[in-house]
Amino acid sequence: MSTVDQMQQGLEKALQAAAQADDRELAGRVREDGRRLVFILLGLLRTSRLHDKDNAAFETPSKEFATTLNALLDLLGAVHVVCVEDQIYVNDIRLRGNPREQQMIEAFVQELARHRVGGISFHGALQPDAVREIAQAVAGKPGDESPRAALEHKLSGLGDIALSGTHRFRIGGEPTQQRKDYEEAMKRGASVVAEAVQNLAADRIPNPLPIRRVVIDMVTSLREDPVDGSLEPFRQTTGRAGEQHLLSVTSLALTIGEALELPEGAISDLGVAAMLHDIGYTKVPDRTGHCAAGARLLLRQRGFHEAKIRRLLMVLEHHDPYAPRDEEGTSGLRRSERMPCLFARILRIANDYDLLVSPRPGQPPPMSPSMALAHMWSARETEYDPNLLALFAQVLGLFPPGTLLELTDGRWVLSVSGARDKERFSWPLVRVVREADGTFSDATEEIDLYETRTHLRPARILDPSKMGVDVGKQVSRRKARDEEGGADEEGGADEEGGADEESK
Amino acid sequence: MDEQQDNLSTATETDLETPVLEEGGVPPVPDDGSVPPGTDEGGVPPGTDDTGIPPPDELDDVLSMADGEEAQRGTSKRHQQVSGVLTQMARVARSFLLYDPRNKAIHHFLTSLLDNLVSCLKDGAIKLMVQPFELWYEGEVVYLNRDRERSLAFRFYRDGVRGLHFLPGFHWEELAKLLEILSIRYTGVHQHEDDVVTLLWKANFKNLEIVAVEGFVPEDEEEDEEEDLRALSLRFDAEAGGPGKRVGGGPGADPEAAPLPDDVDLPPPHLPKKVKPDWVDVPVHIKARYRSEVSAAALPSDCLRLVRHMRRQLDDPQERWKYGDIAHLFKEIREFLLVSEHLGPLQRFMDIVAEMAKAEPPPWDQTRRMALDDLLRGCGDDHAVRKLLHSIPVEERQLDPELLAVIKRACADPFNAVLDGLAKEHGSASRAIGRQMLEELGKERVEELQQRFDAVEGHVARDLLRVIARIGGEQAAPFVARQCSHEDIEIQGEAMRHLKAMPYSGQVGRAIFEAFKTAESERRTALLDIMKHTGDRRFVDNLARLLEKQGSSISSSDAVQIGRLMGQLGGERYLEQWQAWLTPKGWIRKHLGGSAAQQIAAAVALSEIPVELAEKTLRGALKVADTAVQPFIGRALSHHRSAGAGKEAS
């Protein structure tokens, strides 16, 4: 087959796949209702400049706006109208229009920009009267000093509305604070996961696209500093333990996916699936039923996409053991068909590791990462895929990041690196958290145990909860200090990181 | 509104692929019913212009109609070259709105684009800046289209692409990937899983650097934060596609509630033993095997795995799922599997669904059986057969027995289903396989095929005729022979191509001769060739009578062809007759009788008979023939001598 034939076949398949993945009905409805919403609001703004708010001219459009908004809220949960340059998106779907409609879109953007507003989010239904008030407020004179704050003040009490600043497209390669990327991605991840959980719990249609964007950012930042992924179980990116579990498991799963050198498409699919793997708990509080419940929630998404198929499989199989058990209806299947799918096998490792090492409110203290890995290692071949666990161990090392160790000289240190390579599997980079004399340190001193292995080595693994060390806090400090160090290097600032003394 | 999708859905209607029969020649038909070697479907040899594609000059017209691109731009030759490539790229990406991706026209566009791009990159990288309606290259606008819906620049810009750097190593696979992304954007399909930024990230280009927006951000972050503080409002996290900290909502929702409990998945797994982990190498081939589990090739088996899960859920009395709630998933999977490369998984899918449909439905889902039957029928309806046929790879020529098995199993009337599918199919491979299926399914239904043939036209009729010719045997031969007189010249050609391989009879001969009498000059050659192939000497008598009655209306070149056949087929048996035709008539015996065509044919016929008398007759005729006929007799004489010399030598 010629090169061009191959191109043609590839193009045909890509177009077919795209068409199969499309939920045209949903996209069409959001686009149509979104456009109606924007144009009615623009009409109301213009009417507000001509008439008093009690004028009958407001009646029909206000009702229509409220009805349209309520329909969208039923469909999507929150409705986000976001202006970016001369374009408007309603929950990720760009409004298209003919040249005249484009003028109206741009006029709407300008109306909001007067208040330094670039987006309105509606989190709840509105009454027609409130719609009039909103129109009056937006059409009114902007505040002098802080127009957006002034508008927000006017809107308070009218409904569950949030305003955002104006936006522009961000260009790839723009100078960004690289060292913050992972935490920024995780913060966005926390926000996106929270919204996804809320929406799915309310029986709304899954929207994987915002999650995928965050996952891609996470993957990009993990490539810069892979240790971040294995430290996530100790962080408190979100205050909610359930959502933190989703984030931690996602980070760990991506770490394994990277070690396996999964292609870009698959690794982002893995991340999206991991973010949603326990979504069934929003419907069923017990461990046995949440997989099916989660699949049922995700099944509300229409359109065929390989990511959806693999996501559903992962949700259904992520607690299954590696070694297949004989179950009803599986007798005729090959072994590979009876063992969990790849994503589920990866997730099983990430999930159990997080369950073993991350603290949960009201629960007994978690296990040391080193102990957790050792326990899991005993279940290779039975519970866990041995090759995937081996890859995970290659990343984590004998003393995974977050492990508290006592050295032969009596100092306490925290492991802050993975295995790095075969030679250094048992010799991580560590930071001193307590001196030999019992003084807690600010964890700035870093030791490479591989370099010191002849005279300084781990003596024993410590239980942080018994030793009064908050690993999560130390991990956050490590990051903060790294960033300061980075800023110092770049900007030449001379301010020292003033870490608190930690008393036992 | 989605006019682009509407356009896409009608793409096959405008297919440009209209292969025609090569004029004059009748290439042999291979036994497998495939296209003869060296010809395209329907007999068009490669390299001819008659491929159904407008010639290159017209191609530009087809694609440039109202597309809004301004003429090739740039002051230098290099700028103009880049401009040409970009204009072409825009047209190719848009062409998927008009044409089926496997159309020959698309093939032509892609070949041309690839050649031009490769040639352009030989002179160095192409670094483009993207503006809303323009693409800039080294300080000049090299592409300009102000039509938002058609402009390549606007597509890039709107999707967040701000710069494109094509590097000299840019490979065709990368071009294909870029065109895939562009085409998806042009067709207006909304992707719930991906947007252009995620698609570009996944594509992982090595020789194409893309400066793309990565979502959107506050215009002025510092000022924005101050505003936030003043307003004590919740911050907006636009990159997540919506507000950040303010979550959920909707009617009756409490944004502060946490629907995911804190004790998710607890208690932790109980793993009593500890074993010291060690570094264990995972060989490269093992990693590759794992990666293959999430490749496109593994997706069909993942679908089946999911279907089995769904089946268990549907039968679980604890879960009490209803099929209707997840029917869309089964339909989506069925549609995905309904392609020729997934026939095995499709069969297994049908097995599972059939088993489900056969089982007694549970009390909570009594309507399940009907819906499952409906799902199964959808594996063999018109749409399904069409989809299966259409998905056959362009290089495929042999019918996969599994495809036939699927069709037989899934369709209530496979024969008519394939007939209907073939009627709508344009792809040459699909049609070849469709014909082979009909050959399998229609052995006992040749009459129905003939009836259907009479009701259709164009390539469908040609396909049916080919099937009839191949399976119809003796009974169908006269029918095929009659099509040599069909009003459609291409069907004439199709019939002629097959006649040689079909059983011969007097009926066939009559039909061939009838066709010969009315055929255009080019077709006569082919028909004479068939007559020769039959070996039936009755053709000689008929042709002689035709020359005697209508000789004046037969051209010299036709007469030559007729004469050659008469000589080859009739041999010495007709020597006297041809001699008589070339013997001067009248009392002075200085003029030949009959028409010029008659004289020429007789001369050529004699030249094919290796006897002395034939040469003598030719020599005599040469002296008395009209000046218009003399050259033909001279050539016949020369041919006879050289043939005779050849014989002596041999």
Side-chain angles (χ1 to χ4, degrees), chain A residues 198, chain B residues 247 249-250 252-258:
Chain A
Q198 286 276 0
Chain B
V247 293
D254 175 4
E256 296 307 314

Side-chain angles (χ1 to χ4, degrees), chain B residues 195-210:
Chain B
D195 60 10
V196 78
V197 178
T198 61
L199 286 171
L200 289 170
W201 185 82
K202 284 179 178 180
N204 198 15
F205 291 111
K206 299 278 185 279
N207 298 298
L208 174 63
E209 290 172 1
I210 295 167

Side-chain angles (χ1 to χ4, degrees), chain A residues 27-278:
Chain A
R29 251 186 92 182
V30 173
R31 190 171 281 131
E32 278 310 303
D33 284 359
R35 185 159 56 174
R36 191 174 305 129
L37 203 70
V38 166
F39 290 167
I40 296 172
L41 189 53
L42 180 64
L44 283 166
L45 295 181
R46 288 172 176 174
T47 309
S48 297
R49 298 209 172 93
L50 301 171
H51 302 292
D52 184 76
K53 69 174 179 181
D54 298 324
N55 194 292
F58 284 102
E59 203 167 311
T60 307
S62 298
K63 276 185 193 164
E64 206 181 326
F65 182 92
T67 309
T68 309
L69 176 64
N70 292 352
L72 278 173
L73 286 167
D74 281 343
L75 198 65
L76 305 168
V79 175
H80 310 301
V81 180
V82 180
C83 307
V84 190
E85 297 178 7
D86 65 346
Q87 320 220 6
I88 295 181
Y89 296 81
V90 173
N91 292 39
D92 290 319
I93 294 185
R94 186 182 74 99
L95 302 187
R96 289 197 292 235
N98 57 35
R100 198 180 140 268
E101 287 170 330
Q102 180 57 33
Q103 283 179 4
M104 291 168 71
I105 287 172
E106 286 170 22
F108 185 82
V109 174
Q110 290 305 316
E111 288 282 4
L112 295 188
R114 292 168 53 241
H115 301 273
R116 288 191 40 75
V117 168
I120 308 181
S121 294
F122 301 96
H123 294 274
L126 291 175
Q127 294 302 316
D129 287 347
V131 175
R132 288 180 193 218
E133 300 275 357
I134 291 166
Q136 292 280 341
V138 177
K141 190 171 173 282
D144 289 335
E145 276 196 15
S146 44
R148 178 148 59 91
L151 181 61
E152 222 158 52
H153 180 70
K154 285 185 197 170
L155 297 183
S156 59
L158 294 177
D160 203 351
I161 305 166
L163 300 180
S164 64
T166 52
H167 298 87
R168 62 175 172 78
F169 288 112
R170 190 180 84 184
I171 313 295
E174 271 187 16
T176 51
Q177 290 162 299
Q178 293 287 333
R179 305 297 289 274
K180 271 188 182 174
D181 269 0
Y182 177 78
E183 288 192 1
E184 280 181 1
M186 294 312 286
K187 278 182 195 161
R188 282 199 305 278
S191 159
V192 166
V193 158
E195 181 157 1
V197 168
Q198 286 276 0
N199 281 335
L200 288 167
D203 289 329
R204 296 189 186 111
I205 293 164
N207 182 15
L209 183 55
I211 301 175
R212 188 176 299 277
R213 291 190 192 130
V214 168
V215 165
I216 287 175
D217 283 352
M218 285 170 71
V219 173
T220 310
S221 59
L222 281 175
R223 282 175 185 165
E224 282 177 23
D225 190 355
V227 176
D228 272 325
S230 42
L231 285 172
E232 186 58 32
F234 312 104
R235 290 205 183 87
Q236 288 299 311
T237 304
T238 165
R240 295 165 174 172
E243 288 161 19
Q244 179 63 47
H245 173 65
L246 297 180
L247 292 174
S248 301
V249 171
T250 303
S251 281
L252 294 166
L254 291 175
T255 303
I256 301 172
E258 283 285 274
L260 191 56
E261 297 162 50
L262 286 178
E264 310 290 51
I267 203 151
S268 67
D269 290 348
L270 171 68
V272 175
M275 285 278 207
L276 297 170
H277 78 277
D278 273 338

Side-chain angles (χ1 to χ4, degrees), chain B residues 258-273:
Chain B
L260 208 57
D262 283 349
D263 61 349
V264 161
D265 273 350
L266 290 177
H270 180 62
L271 303 161
K273 279 197 300 178

Side-chain angles (χ1 to χ4, degrees), chain B residues 118-168:
Chain B
V118 167
S119 146
C120 204
L121 286 169
K122 276 182 189 157
D123 296 333
I126 305 171
K127 196 169 178 176
L128 300 168
M129 188 174 76
V130 182
Q131 291 290 307
F133 301 105
E134 302 142 6
L135 297 174
W136 288 68
Y137 171 71
E138 289 186 355
E140 283 187 33
V141 175
V142 284
Y143 175 92
L144 175 63
N145 187 342
R146 296 186 193 284
D147 183 337
R148 276 173 180 258
E149 297 306 316
R150 289 174 170 275
S151 167
L152 178 70
F154 185 73
R155 294 276 156 172
F156 278 131
Y157 190 84
R158 184 201 75 186
D159 288 331
V161 178
R162 295 295 183 267
L164 285 167
H165 306 167
F166 293 92
L167 304 174

